[in-house]
Amino acid sequence: MTICSALPVLSLLETRVLAVLAEKQYTVPDTYPLTLNTLVTGCNQRTSRDPIMNASQVEIQIAIDNLKHMSLVIESSGGRAARFAHNLKPVLQIPIQSAALMTTLMLRGPQTAGELRINSERLHKFADISSVESFLAELAERTAGALVMELPRQPGSRENRWMHLLSGTSGIEEYKMMMTQTADPVIAIDEIAVLKADMARLSSEVSALRKIIAKLCTELDITIDD
C-alpha cells in the first residue's frame, strides 16, 4: 500500500481543525466559514470527538497557518473577524461521500463501516453499509496514494475498523498490540468494590424488610414458617 504523498503528515491538531471545518459546513451552515473562536470551541468539543482536546487559541492558529500553506484551509476577511473554510475535497480530489468519511474518521478516530455510516449521517446519508465499504475501498486503493486503511480485527470484534492516513500510520502498532492481548474480560478492582458495596446495601435492605414483616406478623397474629 502506498500512502498519499501529495501532502506532508498532518499533526493530530491539524486534522482536528480541518475536520471541524468540514463538519461545521454542514451542521451549522449559517455560521460557516468559522471564526477562530468558533473553531476553538469546535476543536475542544466534549462530544463526538476522540481524543478530546484542550487546545489553546494560539495552537489552533498555528495549525490553521500550516493548513493554509497546504491549501487545505482558506481565510476570508469578511466582517470584523477573519473566517476560515476548508478545501478538503479539491485538494484531496475526493467526492463528498469520501470527504464525509474522512471527516468522521478525523473527528472520532478508527471506526467500523457500520459506525461510520451512523456517525457521518449529518454530513452524508449512505444508503447502506455496502456503500460505505465501497467508498472506503476506493480511498484505500487510490492510485495517488491511500487515504485510509483497514486495521486488524480487535479481539471480540465482529468488524474491522478503518483509520485515516493523513496523520501517518502511528495508530497501526497500537492496534497490533491489542490483537495480541487476551479477549477474556477482566473485572477491575474498583468494579469489585462497587459490587461488594451493592451486595452490602441489598443485604441491609433485606434485613430491614424482614424486621418489618416480623413486626406486621406479630401485630396481625400471623405465623410464618421459616
Side-chain angles (χ1 to χ4, degrees):
M1 176 188 66
T2 302
I3 300 174
C4 179
S5 58
L7 294 170
V9 174
L10 303 183
S11 70
L12 180 60
L13 182 55
E14 288 166 355
T15 61
R16 175 62 56 84
V17 168
L18 183 60
V20 168
L21 289 172
E23 175 194 48
K24 299 303 183 184
Q25 179 184 10
Y26 294 96
T27 58
V28 287
D30 293 342
T31 59
Y32 183 84
L34 304 183
T35 63
L36 178 58
N37 287 337
T38 305
L39 188 51
V40 171
T41 301
C43 288
N44 295 332
Q45 188 174 309
R46 310 296 290 181
T47 58
S48 304
R49 301 289 185 264
D50 187 14
I52 293 173
M53 293 184 173
N54 189 27
S56 68
Q57 190 174 88
V58 172
E59 291 171 327
I60 290 177
Q61 182 62 64
I62 293 172
I64 290 172
D65 292 339
N66 291 339
L67 291 167
K68 285 166 58 180
H69 287 308
M70 301 176 224
S71 300
L72 283 167
V73 167
I74 302 170
E75 180 178 347
S76 57
S77 55
R80 292 181 298 176
R83 291 182 174 271
F84 305 96
H86 76 92
N87 200 29
L88 183 67
K89 295 191 293 290
V91 172
L92 297 183
Q93 298 182 343
I94 55 177
I96 184 173
Q97 297 93 328
S98 298
L101 296 175
M102 289 292 295
T103 298
T104 307
L105 287 171
M106 286 189 283
L107 288 175
R108 295 173 177 251
Q111 296 157 78
T112 66
E115 290 170 335
L116 282 167
R117 184 192 178 200
I118 295 171
N119 294 334
S120 64
E121 189 173 17
R122 297 179 72 186
L123 309 180
H124 179 81
K125 291 188 177 181
F126 290 91
D128 48 39
I129 294 179
S130 297
S131 178
V132 174
E133 292 172 337
S134 295
F135 281 101
L136 287 170
E138 288 182 6
L139 288 169
E141 298 167 3
R142 289 178 2 127
T143 55
L147 291 174
V148 302
M149 74 169 293
E150 192 173 14
L151 295 166
R153 186 169 302 179
Q154 297 182 41
S157 298
R158 293 186 297 177
E159 298 181 67
N160 289 355
R161 291 189 172 193
W162 292 78
M163 67 175 282
H164 76 84
L165 295 173
L166 291 182
S167 296
T169 57
S170 57
I172 298 174
E173 290 304 318
E174 177 183 348
Y175 274 81
K176 287 183 178 178
M177 289 178 62
M178 294 177 67
M179 284 290 292
T180 63
Q181 296 175 354
T182 176
D184 294 334
V186 178
I187 300 178
I189 293 176
D190 57 344
E191 292 177 331
I192 295 175
V194 171
L195 290 173
K196 287 183 176 180
D198 287 341
M199 290 178 64
R201 176 179 55 81
L202 291 172
S203 178
S204 177
E205 290 177 356
V206 169
S207 297
L209 288 172
R210 284 178 174 172
K211 290 179 180 178
I212 293 172
I213 293 171
K215 182 179 179 181
L216 289 172
C217 289
T218 300
E219 294 175 352
L220 297 173
D221 195 22
I222 297 174
T223 303
I224 299 178
D225 295 331
D226 293 334

